[in-house]
């Protein structure tokens, strides 16, 4: 089952985006609408769980055949914060393996030559030399807290290589660092550090309270704005021809401390900086988790990431404007 162009016509690419209603999917939608030069004449189909249950092979194949894609951006996953990962290891592993197997199978069935799947830096080995590079993925076990999710995500990288070898496909994985932006999950208990802090700041501002950040604020993280990530994922799908995994993140020099993150959130939300407090009785977590973007920079030395303060302002504004309806 493959689409065919008539004589003398070249077909415009049709790109299926799984997980199209999530943080990165919405980033891609924004780039498609606002930066047409990135996508050319490509048509996009954004799938959400309403369109098909990707854990079900028959539903996945039927949905793909309906849209006849030429390219797939695979973002859909069962995800959760630390506690959900620890509580639901079986579901995290089984459901993510099923989703990945079904999406790559459906892509191959439809004759899709390019499928770009997203994994995460949290699936890399727990004990590793920094900076982390793409080739370290299988060099040791992941952190025990999220091993169910991590091994499932590692397998999509293996499966992509297997399709390339057996079926001559061009399937690959991309690996972002800490993503933030509009349409994130702003849940304080089960979300990630940046959106959780925005939500805490929102409450502190409304209640006239202090904003308390756990730890010293010294640990460093690489944050990537969802719209920058979206642009790089689109480039990886439509332009880049390589099959090697790519780390997608800003340069090591642009690492942000948790204290800088808190300051930037406070400034973006008009929260007084003198009411920002650090609870040093709480653990800091890992000091650095630096990722090397050397391979990306080899292909895109000129790519300009949105300045952190500007990206944070856009995100905080979106969060406040959409507080009633956003995921929290």
């Amino acid at each position: 089952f493959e689409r065919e162009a008539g004589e003398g016509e070249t077909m415009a690419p049709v790109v299926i985006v799984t997980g199209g209603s999530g943080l990165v999917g919405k980033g891609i939608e924004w780039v498609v609408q606002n930066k047409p030069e990135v996508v050319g004449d490509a048509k996009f189909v954004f799938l959400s769980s309403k369109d098909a249950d990707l854990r079900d092979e028959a539903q996945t194949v039927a949905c793909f055949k309906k849209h006849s894609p030429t390219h797939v951006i695979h973002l859909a996953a069962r995800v959760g914060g630390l506690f959900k990962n620890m509580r639901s290891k079986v579901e995290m592993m089984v459901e993510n393996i099923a989703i990945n197997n079904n999406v790559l199978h459906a892509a191959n069935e439809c004759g899709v030559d390019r499928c770009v799947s997203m994994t995460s830096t949290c699936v890399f080995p727990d004990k590793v030399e920094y900076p982390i590079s793409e080739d370290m993925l299988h060099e040791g076990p992941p952190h025990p807290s999220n091993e169910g999710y991590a091994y499932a995500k590692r397998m999509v990288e293996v499966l992509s290589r297997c399709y390339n070898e057996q079926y001559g496909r061009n399937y690959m994985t991309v690996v972002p660092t800490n993503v933030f932006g509009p349409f994130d999950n702003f849940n304080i208990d089960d979300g990630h550090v940046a959106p959780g802090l925005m939500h805490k700041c929102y409450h502190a501002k409304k209640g006239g309270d202090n904003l308390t950040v756990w730890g010293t604020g010294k640990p460093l993280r690489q944050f990537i704005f969802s719209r920058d990530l979206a642009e790089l994922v689109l480039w990886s799908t439509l332009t880049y021809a390589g099959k090697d995994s790519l780390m997608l993140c800003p340069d090591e020099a642009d690492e942000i401390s948790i204290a800088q993150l808190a300051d930037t959130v406070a400034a973006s939300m008009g929260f007084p900086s003198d009411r920002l407090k650090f609870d040093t009785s709480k653990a800091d977590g890992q000091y650095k988790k630096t990722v090397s973007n050397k391979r990306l920079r080899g292909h895109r030395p000129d790519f300009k990431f949105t300045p952190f303060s500007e990206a944070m302002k856009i995100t905080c504004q979106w969060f406040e404007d959409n507080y009633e309806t956003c995921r929290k």
Side-chain angles (χ1 to χ4, degrees), residues 1-5 11 13-16 18 45 47 54 57-72 101-115 163 167 169 171:
F1 183 90
E2 302 187 22
R3 286 157 40 94
E4 291 174 7
M11 279 187 329
V14 175
V15 186
I16 276 184
T18 72
V45 179
L47 298 181
L54 300 178
E57 184 183 310
Q59 280 191 45
T60 307
V61 172
C63 181
F64 274 48
K65 287 191 170 177
K66 182 172 134 192
H67 297 293
S68 304
T70 58
H71 297 67
V72 173
N101 288 354
N102 293 339
V103 167
L104 267 62
H105 169 68
N108 188 55
E109 284 282 291
C110 290
V112 169
D113 189 55
R114 186 62 157 176
C115 176
Y163 272 104
Y167 293 97
R169 298 299 186 198
Y171 295 175

Side-chain angles (χ1 to χ4, degrees), residues 23-99:
L23 168 63
V24 184
K26 287 292 187 185
I28 290 174
E29 192 173 45
W30 185 89
V31 174
V32 168
Q33 288 166 356
N34 293 279
K35 289 190 156 186
E37 71 279 5
V38 175
V39 296
D41 60 353
K43 307 279 182 286
F44 286 80
V45 179
F46 292 91
L47 298 181
S48 73
S49 50
K50 290 187 209 61
D51 299 288
D53 182 346
L54 300 178
R55 295 169 300 185
D56 180 288
E57 184 183 310
Q59 280 191 45
T60 307
V61 172
C63 181
F64 274 48
K65 287 191 170 177
K66 182 172 134 192
H67 297 293
S68 304
T70 58
H71 297 67
V72 173
I73 295 174
H74 173 34
L75 309 172
R78 174 162 177 162
V79 295
L82 176 65
F83 299 108
K84 193 169 179 184
N85 265 306
M86 287 169 72
R87 278 197 311 268
S88 318
K89 283 186 183 180
V90 172
E91 291 79 5
M92 283 289 178
M93 187 161 189
V94 170
E95 293 183 21
N96 280 303
I97 287 175
I99 290 167

Side-chain angles (χ1 to χ4, degrees), residues 8 64-65 71 169 175 178 226 232 240 310 315 318:
F64 274 48
K65 287 191 170 177
H71 297 67
R169 298 299 186 198
V175 190
N178 294 273
S226 56
L232 288 170
Y240 175 62
E310 186 186 319
T315 306
W318 184 90

Side-chain angles (χ1 to χ4, degrees), residues 149-161:
Y149 175 78
Y151 278 114
K153 282 302 213 181
R154 286 184 184 194
M155 287 307 104
V156 79
E157 188 272 338
V158 177
L159 191 59
S160 297
R161 284 191 279 120

Side-chain angles (χ1 to χ4, degrees), residues 24-293:
V24 184
K26 287 292 187 185
I28 290 174
E29 192 173 45
W30 185 89
V31 174
V32 168
Q33 288 166 356
N34 293 279
K35 289 190 156 186
E37 71 279 5
V38 175
V39 296
D41 60 353
K43 307 279 182 286
F44 286 80
V45 179
F46 292 91
L47 298 181
S48 73
S49 50
K50 290 187 209 61
D51 299 288
D53 182 346
L54 300 178
R55 295 169 300 185
D56 180 288
E57 184 183 310
Q59 280 191 45
T60 307
V61 172
C63 181
F64 274 48
K65 287 191 170 177
K66 182 172 134 192
H67 297 293
S68 304
T70 58
H71 297 67
V72 173
I73 295 174
H74 173 34
L75 309 172
R78 174 162 177 162
V79 295
L82 176 65
F83 299 108
K84 193 169 179 184
N85 265 306
M86 287 169 72
R87 278 197 311 268
S88 318
K89 283 186 183 180
V90 172
E91 291 79 5
M92 283 289 178
M93 187 161 189
V94 170
E95 293 183 21
N96 280 303
I97 287 175
I99 290 167
N100 296 336
N101 288 354
N102 293 339
V103 167
L104 267 62
H105 169 68
N108 188 55
E109 284 282 291
C110 290
V112 169
D113 189 55
R114 186 62 157 176
C115 176
V116 174
S117 302
M118 184 163 285
T119 71
S120 161
T121 48
C122 74
V123 312
F124 275 70
D126 180 36
K127 295 181 171 56
V128 72
E129 293 283 313
Y130 291 94
I132 302 172
S133 68
E134 292 87 351
D135 301 329
M136 296 178 178
L137 178 62
H138 302 290
E139 287 185 1
H143 193 276
S145 65
N146 75 330
E147 62 185 349
Y149 175 78
Y151 278 114
K153 282 302 213 181
R154 286 184 184 194
M155 287 307 104
V156 79
E157 188 272 338
V158 177
L159 191 59
S160 297
R161 284 191 279 120
C162 292
Y163 272 104
N164 295 347
E165 189 182 316
Q166 193 171 332
Y167 293 97
R169 298 299 186 198
N170 286 295
Y171 295 175
M172 68 169 295
T173 54
V174 291
V175 190
T177 47
N178 294 273
V179 192
F180 70 96
F183 297 95
D184 205 342
N185 177 359
F186 294 87
N187 187 295
I188 290 171
D189 299 319
D190 225 20
H192 288 113
V193 59
L197 204 50
M198 288 175 215
H199 199 163
K200 281 172 82 171
C201 186
Y202 180 90
H203 285 313
K205 187 175 149 184
K206 283 265 181 288
D209 305 319
N210 289 339
L211 171 59
T212 304
V213 181
W214 285 12
T216 63
K218 287 177 184 163
L220 297 167
R221 295 293 179 264
Q222 282 158 301
F223 291 96
I224 183 167
F225 186 36
S226 56
R227 292 173 185 174
D228 292 341
L229 175 59
E231 197 172 325
L232 288 170
V233 170
L234 287 161
W235 165 79
S236 304
T237 307
L238 296 167
T239 307
Y240 175 62
K243 299 180 190 182
D244 288 336
S245 295
L246 278 180
M247 294 288 196
L248 303 181
C249 61
D251 306 318
E252 188 175 345
D254 297 322
E255 281 184 307
I256 303 286
S257 72
I258 300 300
Q260 275 172 286
L261 168 67
D263 283 337
T264 310
V265 167
S268 300
M269 297 181 79
F271 184 83
S273 57
D274 60 339
R275 294 207 333 246
L276 190 57
K277 308 291 178 195
F278 291 87
D279 180 356
T280 53
S281 71
K282 296 283 193 290
D284 258 346
Q286 214 165 322
Y287 174 60
K288 263 166 92 86
K289 295 183 177 182
T290 312
V291 166
S292 167
N293 69 359

